[in-house]
Amino acid sequence: MTIREFKMPDVGEGLTEAEILKWYVQPGDTVTDGQVVCEVETAKAAVELPIPFDGVVHALLFEEGVTVDVGQVIISVQTGPADEAPAEAAAAAPAVAAAEPEAPAARQPVLVGYGVSTASTKRRPRKAPQPAVAAQNGTGVAHAAAAPAAPAAPAAPAAPVVVPAQGGAGKALAKPPVRKLAKDLGIDLAAVVPTGDGGVVTREDVHAAAAAAITPQTVAPAVPVAPEAPAAAQAAPAAPVQVPAEVSGSARETRIPVKGVRKVTAQAMVGSAFTAPHVTEFITFDVTRTMKLVQELKDDPDLAGLRINPLLLIAKAVLVAIRRNPDVNASWDEAAQEIVLKHYVNLGIAAATPRGLIVPNIKDAHAKTLGELSQALSGLVATAREGKTSPADMQQGTITITNVGVFGVDTGTPILNPGESAILAVGAIKLQPWVHKGKVKARHVTTLALSFDHRLIDGELGSRFLADIAAVLEHPRRLITWS
């Protein structure tokens, strides 16, 4: 038979590793060209990986939860005629291999057809469980090759909402964000009672399990118990995965591993701050007319069903200002010692998600109508909140908006997204006393802060660009007259 190896691909976003979130296949399963075999989490997104050939799964080289370097073999597939019965092939690799393969000498190219599946993900039917019961090692990773008798089983009664996994259920069903939450809290998903549709474990289930695991330690000593209670209390330590090892009532510090989004964000911010010379300028102005226009657009039947808010008009104002000051839409090519002028605008919107800060961008935002821009913004935000933002959505941004005003903050000094020339921070819009037509009145006022790369943008250009954005928002009719 012929064994082919599938390596962790380079998804084209400049990353060198990814964490395996979930395997959709097991040894012995038949796979076809283009079938999704696993889901991995890069530093910026959860991505499904399709296999590029047909065959029968021979072995899975890494467990779920393991971070793998790009280029390492993660799965082997039998593609030729079998020299032995399929049952023997499946028995030869019933569990994930423990040894890591040798790392290749160079990064592998992006696979043809690689990308995030546009169709809804369907989970494969669960296989019957192996006779061996997964046991927890010191790191909280389950090994399928553990002894048949699970010593942690008697501990189940200690936590009312945490029960042993039911026979035949296999591994727990849960979305990647929920799996990450459980991992962070030290909760074994296989021992959580699911309440979601189809037996899916939800975030609420994980929080309930975590609360139940902690409660016996703090409440039980103060409540009278039956004679049998001490035995149950003694059994509780047999399930250490219910409480994070690094958290206790007397702990003064908690150490959190730096990885994923936080790791890449830290590297990018340090690199940007110490590579591009930042300059930040501020402007405070009256946006009362813009707020009135927002309300009028909300009442417009032609825009029914669209999300209309101040951020939409701010984004449109930025696009108009770029049209008037095209040189701000550029990047610095250090290797070639060239300034690259962009004749398109991929408008980034900084989004705070459960996975951390990400900056997806709206491709060719300059060519979109107000309605199209509204739809793109709504889709971008919804996708980010669901943790489904693809790597392609975060590539090739040209300029970014970060809305710190939603937190009640007046302004800030934002750091450039690497590879971009400018970032605009939008402050809170508040009613303030303001001189209007010679009289002090209550007006809607906000502050914008523009940080830009001084290698690309001189003070004059940066000032004109920021002033134009403010002028459009102060008198929104300029959205028409300046377009």
Side-chain angles (χ1 to χ4, degrees), residues 224-440:
V225 295
E228 302 85 19
Q234 293 174 3
V241 296
Q242 297 179 358
V243 182
E246 61 269 49
V247 179
S248 66
S250 60
R252 292 169 61 84
E253 295 180 350
T254 299
R255 290 182 173 268
I256 303 173
V258 179
K259 63 179 183 178
V261 174
R262 176 56 54 197
K263 179 178 180 179
V264 171
T265 299
Q267 293 173 342
M269 292 299 96
V270 170
S272 176
F274 291 96
T275 299
H278 284 54
V279 173
T280 304
E281 294 186 341
F282 308 88
I283 187 168
T284 301
F285 58 101
D286 182 357
V287 291
T288 303
R289 294 185 179 90
T290 289
M291 297 304 291
K292 290 180 179 179
L293 178 58
V294 168
Q295 188 58 51
E296 292 174 2
L297 293 176
K298 286 182 178 180
D299 298 334
D300 189 336
D302 292 335
L303 298 177
L306 296 178
R307 183 176 177 82
I308 307 297
N309 54 25
L311 180 60
L312 173 63
L313 295 186
I314 292 170
K316 199 66 176 176
V318 169
L319 295 173
V320 171
I322 290 176
R323 181 189 293 268
R324 289 171 56 85
N325 304 275
D327 288 349
V328 303
N329 193 43
S331 63
W332 182 274
D333 188 336
E334 181 66 28
Q337 286 295 292
E338 294 176 341
I339 294 175
V340 183
L341 296 176
K342 308 293 178 65
H343 304 301
Y344 57 90
V345 181
N346 291 344
L347 184 62
I349 304 294
T353 74
R355 299 181 60 249
L357 177 67
I358 62 174
V359 188
N361 59 74
I362 300 172
K363 299 295 190 291
D364 293 325
H366 65 287
K368 297 186 182 297
T369 64
L370 188 67
E372 292 171 341
L373 191 62
S374 174
Q375 292 177 332
L377 273 172
S378 298
L380 179 149
V381 172
T383 302
R385 287 176 177 172
E386 295 171 1
K388 297 180 180 178
T389 303
S390 68
D393 290 336
M394 294 180 283
Q395 295 175 357
Q396 299 179 342
T398 60
I399 194 167
T400 291
I401 298 175
T402 176
N403 186 9
V404 298
V406 296
F407 306 109
V409 175
D410 290 331
T411 189
T413 54
I415 297 178
L416 295 172
N417 201 30
E420 298 182 9
S421 60
I423 179 171
L424 180 74
V426 180
I429 299 175
K430 300 178 180 179
L431 276 175
Q432 297 183 17
W434 195 263
V435 177
H436 177 68
K437 295 181 179 180
K439 297 182 180 180
V440 177

Side-chain angles (χ1 to χ4, degrees), residues 6 20 25 32 43 47 70-71 77 111 118 191 218 254 272 291-292 298 325 353 377 402 411 423 443 454 479:
F6 177 54
I20 297 177
V25 297
T32 57
V47 180
V70 167
V77 176
L111 294 174
T118 56
T218 58
T254 299
S272 176
M291 297 304 291
K292 290 180 179 179
K298 286 182 178 180
N325 304 275
T353 74
L377 273 172
T402 176
T411 189
I423 179 171
R443 305 285 289 181
H454 214 342
L479 286 170

